[in-house]
Amino acid sequence: MDFATFVSTFREDAQQPSMPVLLVRLAHSDYSGRDNWPTVQAAQDWAARNVPGVSLVDSEPATLYDGLHLDEASYDRVGGRLAYAWLTLPR
């Protein structure tokens, strides 16, 4: 399933056809085996550019507490960015 289909299905399930959707772009990973990360990031970028009502929040620069997951400071930064993105959505 691509992101456009995901967003469409999500909106249909919520019965909110114009609901805004905020995506957080995947951060880098220190683990091997994450070769698909650039593919997912490209799909996220594409959705933000091409699917109406979709916005992308960048997670970088990020620090990871275990090589994969954001640490608390990075979550705080992303949370602030999500709040700003939500407050500045076109109404």
Side-chain angles (χ1 to χ4, degrees), residues 22-87:
L22 301 177
L23 301 174
V24 176
R25 192 169 196 269
L26 286 178
H28 68 281
S29 172
D30 295 336
Y31 281 113
S32 61
R34 301 289 181 221
D35 298 336
N36 60 340
W37 242 234
T39 302
V40 174
Q41 291 169 328
Q44 291 175 316
D45 294 339
W46 182 90
R49 285 190 315 271
N50 295 291
V51 180
V54 173
S55 296
L56 184 64
V57 173
D58 198 358
S59 59
E60 297 289 355
T63 49
L64 309 174
Y65 76 86
D66 64 355
L68 180 62
H69 298 97
L70 302 180
D71 66 8
E72 185 176 348
S74 295
Y75 276 121
D76 285 346
R77 268 192 308 279
V78 169
R81 292 174 187 167
L82 281 166
Y84 179 80
W86 180 260
L87 293 172

Side-chain angles (χ1 to χ4, degrees), residues 3-11 16-23 44-56 89-90:
F3 271 109
T5 304
F6 169 77
V7 169
S8 176
T9 302
F10 181 73
R11 289 173 172 161
Q16 298 290 323
S18 60
M19 176 175 33
V21 174
L22 301 177
L23 301 174
Q44 291 175 316
D45 294 339
W46 182 90
R49 285 190 315 271
N50 295 291
V51 180
V54 173
S55 296
L56 184 64
L89 284 170

